[in-house]
Amino acid sequence: MNIEKNLKYILEEYEVEETKLERLNKFILSDEFKLKTDDMQKELIMKKFELLKNYIAVLKEQIKYDKELLENEACYISKDGGSYEELEKKCIK
């Protein structure tokens, strides 16, 4: 998978996981969690929360890495789809 495609996929995944984390955080801050959730469920939910935070941190790291790779390459790609076929997808690092 090329860097651009991978970055697009990772950015979409990051947004989805951030939304999950926000929802879970809202639930943890709610009265329902505080008053109606038993201790075992609270423990499991908090573990899930921490795992999700860690996973999002890894996604952020991968996004940063992929963006740096893209910034450090000078690519010559035909913008009009054909005039510079011999240069298409040739990059200089």
Side-chain angles (χ1 to χ4, degrees):
M1 182 181 307
N2 68 25
I3 296 169
E4 292 91 350
K5 191 180 251 184
N6 186 57
L7 183 57
K8 180 183 177 209
Y9 169 76
I10 295 299
L11 287 169
E12 289 171 1
E13 186 175 1
Y14 175 78
E15 286 180 33
V16 168
E17 299 304 325
E18 273 285 311
T19 301
K20 287 180 187 178
L21 186 64
E22 287 174 22
R23 281 195 317 247
L24 190 56
N25 190 44
K26 284 180 183 177
F27 177 67
I28 290 169
L29 297 173
S30 74
D31 287 340
E32 182 179 353
F33 179 78
K34 293 173 187 167
L35 304 173
K36 297 179 182 178
T37 306
D38 67 47
D39 290 341
M40 184 60 177
Q41 284 293 332
K42 284 180 181 176
E43 183 180 333
L44 293 171
I45 290 168
M46 293 308 295
K47 282 182 182 180
K48 182 178 177 180
F49 182 77
E50 289 303 316
L51 285 170
L52 197 50
K53 275 183 18 182
N54 290 334
Y55 181 60
I56 289 170
V58 170
L59 288 174
K60 281 183 182 178
E61 192 175 330
Q62 187 172 8
I63 289 166
K64 180 182 174 191
Y65 176 77
D66 285 356
K67 283 182 176 181
E68 286 174 358
L69 281 178
L70 286 174
E71 288 174 6
N72 291 328
E73 288 186 349
C75 295
Y76 301 96
I77 300 172
S78 171
K79 292 185 181 190
D80 64 3
S83 299
Y84 302 101
E85 288 179 16
E86 70 280 356
L87 297 176
E88 189 171 6
K89 296 183 183 176
K90 293 186 180 176
C91 298
I92 301 168
K93 292 185 181 187

